[in-house]
Amino acid sequence: LSNAEEIKRAMEGLSAALTGTVEGGEAVVPVLRGCKQQLMALETVSREAGTFGERLQAVIIELRDIAEEAERSAGRVEFSEERAREARERLDDLYDLLHKYRVADAEELIQTRDELAERLRGTGDEGQRVEELSARVKELEGELEKLSDRLHASRVEHSAVMEGEMQAFLVELGMPHARFSISVEPTAAFTPRGRDAVTFFFSANRNQAPGELSRMASGGEVSRLMLSMKYLLSSKRLLPAVIFDEIDTGVSGEIAHRVAMMLKRMSGRMQVISISHLPQIAAVGGLHFKVYKEEGERTLSRVKRLTEEERAVEIAGMMSGSEVSEVALENARLLLRQG
């Protein structure tokens, strides 16, 4: 388009030079036609002249074809400054897009356009999708409301039962004046455990107002509270095993014996593993494993299953210290027989 005028002029000039009128001289084809006629007139006296005449005829035919095609080509060329300007602007846009999307040619650019169009089609129904998700959120919130209400009602109902059973366990474990209560208060927001704030309150003494368990209970009291709670929960749920890590902290004497009896009753429903330094606890176990350290180049922790006699020695050591006396051994064997 930028060179349309020059192309048109060149094609028209070629056609004129071959068959039309040329300024300052004759066109090529008429001149060659005259030469051909002169040569053909001499073909009877000169074979060579006739040959040249025939060759010129072939050249004239070819040149006339060229002239006609050039004339038709010139006729097809239309010069328009407006179209040229539009084409330049489109080319500028094309080069900008090639640079922007870092592609080599128009074919890659078209592929990029199609990929973007496909992604846009996926977001065309975004508004509808948002509405659908919003409706789903409301539906789920309604379900959460129902579930949390049921859970709240169940907690309120069973908290009174749990309070009574916990009270009985604490009395059994030597805390006759202890008070245990549960507060179930609704919260504004949902949590993974429902929409309740559950707080345990505890008081160990008759004239002491209950407070939050974490602030009111001593180490030994926490041990007895946790044992009671685990004992209660294990009776409601079928657990494969429960592990107590020094659940007997802070207890001794008769209370240690009661703790041992609770652990033994629990072992009738599930496997109970108890880590303990109390002889009363160790004596009721079905099996006794000793965990100890072995010093050498490295300190290694070892676990050994004890025989009945080794159990007696170990329990006697728990009772009397490093010096195991015959009296301590006899007491240990008695504990084992009672367990």
Side-chain angles (χ1 to χ4, degrees):
L1 287 172
S2 298
N3 298 282
E5 190 173 10
E6 289 79 2
I7 294 171
K8 188 177 184 70
R9 186 182 304 114
M11 293 299 176
E12 289 176 343
L14 174 60
S15 179
L18 291 175
T19 60
T21 301
V22 181
E23 184 179 351
E26 293 184 83
V28 175
V29 171
V31 171
L32 292 179
R33 188 181 293 116
C35 293
K36 184 205 74 167
Q37 290 173 351
Q38 292 176 3
L39 290 168
M40 295 304 292
L42 297 171
E43 67 175 337
T44 56
V45 294
S46 172
R47 183 181 302 170
E48 191 174 26
T51 301
F52 282 133
E54 291 174 356
R55 291 175 64 186
L56 276 177
Q57 179 62 30
V59 171
I60 290 168
I61 292 171
E62 180 65 19
L63 291 176
R64 286 183 64 181
D65 287 344
I66 293 173
E68 290 174 359
E69 289 183 15
E71 187 175 0
R72 287 194 296 271
S73 179
R76 288 194 297 269
V77 176
E78 295 181 4
F79 175 71
S80 170
E81 180 59 34
E82 179 65 19
R83 285 190 62 202
R85 182 184 62 77
E86 291 175 357
R88 283 193 295 272
E89 290 176 354
R90 288 192 65 191
L91 279 173
D92 290 342
D93 290 341
L94 175 62
Y95 296 141
D96 288 344
L97 291 170
L98 292 174
H99 178 72
K100 178 179 179 179
Y101 292 102
R102 289 178 167 75
V103 293
D105 51 34
E107 183 177 350
E108 289 187 22
L109 186 61
I110 290 171
Q111 182 178 350
T112 301
R113 178 203 64 189
D114 294 343
E115 291 173 355
L116 292 173
E118 184 65 27
R119 289 168 60 184
L120 282 173
R121 277 194 292 272
T123 60
D125 58 349
E126 185 174 309
Q128 181 181 350
R129 180 63 175 158
V130 169
E131 291 180 4
E132 292 175 355
L133 291 174
S134 298
R136 179 59 176 157
V137 167
K138 289 182 179 179
E139 181 183 344
L140 291 174
E141 285 178 345
E143 293 180 15
L144 279 174
E145 290 272 0
K146 295 177 182 177
L147 290 172
S148 63
D149 288 345
R150 286 170 53 191
L151 186 56
H152 174 78
S154 179
R155 280 173 170 156
V156 170
E157 177 186 354
H158 289 90
S159 60
V161 177
M162 186 174 180
E163 288 173 358
E165 293 183 343
M166 285 289 293
Q167 200 77 35
F169 289 139
L170 294 175
V171 170
E172 181 181 352
L173 293 176
M175 302 173 69
H177 304 301
R179 283 184 289 169
F180 178 85
S181 60
I182 304 171
S183 170
V184 182
E185 294 296 331
T187 59
F190 293 107
T191 73
R193 297 175 181 83
R195 200 164 52 165
D196 291 319
V198 179
T199 308
F200 295 150
F201 291 91
F202 173 74
S203 170
N205 303 311
R206 187 194 303 272
N207 298 321
Q208 184 182 35
E212 287 191 28
L213 189 152
S214 59
R215 294 188 293 106
M216 299 297 291
S218 65
E221 291 165 348
V222 168
S223 295
R224 283 178 271 184
L225 281 162
M226 289 304 300
L227 176 59
S228 300
M229 196 171 295
K230 294 290 185 181
Y231 184 90
L232 177 59
L233 294 177
S234 68
S235 67
K236 307 299 181 183
R237 297 183 60 187
L238 184 60
L239 300 174
V242 62
I243 300 175
F244 292 112
D245 186 1
E246 299 191 9
I247 193 70
D248 46 42
T249 299
V251 299
S252 59
E254 176 60 24
I255 303 303
H257 175 71
R258 295 180 184 181
V259 170
M261 291 300 101
M262 287 186 71
L263 293 177
K264 186 173 182 178
R265 288 199 299 270
M266 288 180 66
S267 70
R269 299 190 295 268
M270 66 193 71
Q271 183 181 44
V272 176
I273 300 172
S274 180
I275 301 168
S276 176
H277 295 284
L278 288 181
Q280 294 93 329
I281 304 295
V284 300
L287 296 173
H288 190 156
F289 293 88
K290 180 180 180 179
V291 182
Y292 62 98
K293 294 185 183 296
E294 187 177 88
E295 302 291 344
E297 293 183 5
R298 296 186 303 160
T299 300
L300 300 175
S301 294
R302 299 292 191 185
V303 180
K304 179 183 180 182
R305 178 177 173 177
L306 302 182
T307 64
E308 284 301 306
E309 187 57 29
E310 288 171 335
R311 287 186 71 182
V313 172
E314 188 65 27
I315 292 171
M318 293 179 183
M319 297 169 67
S320 62
S322 57
E323 294 292 332
V324 178
S325 63
E326 277 299 323
V327 174
L329 268 174
E330 200 55 43
N331 288 332
R333 293 187 183 105
L334 178 61
L335 271 180
L336 286 169
R337 287 195 296 271
Q338 292 174 346

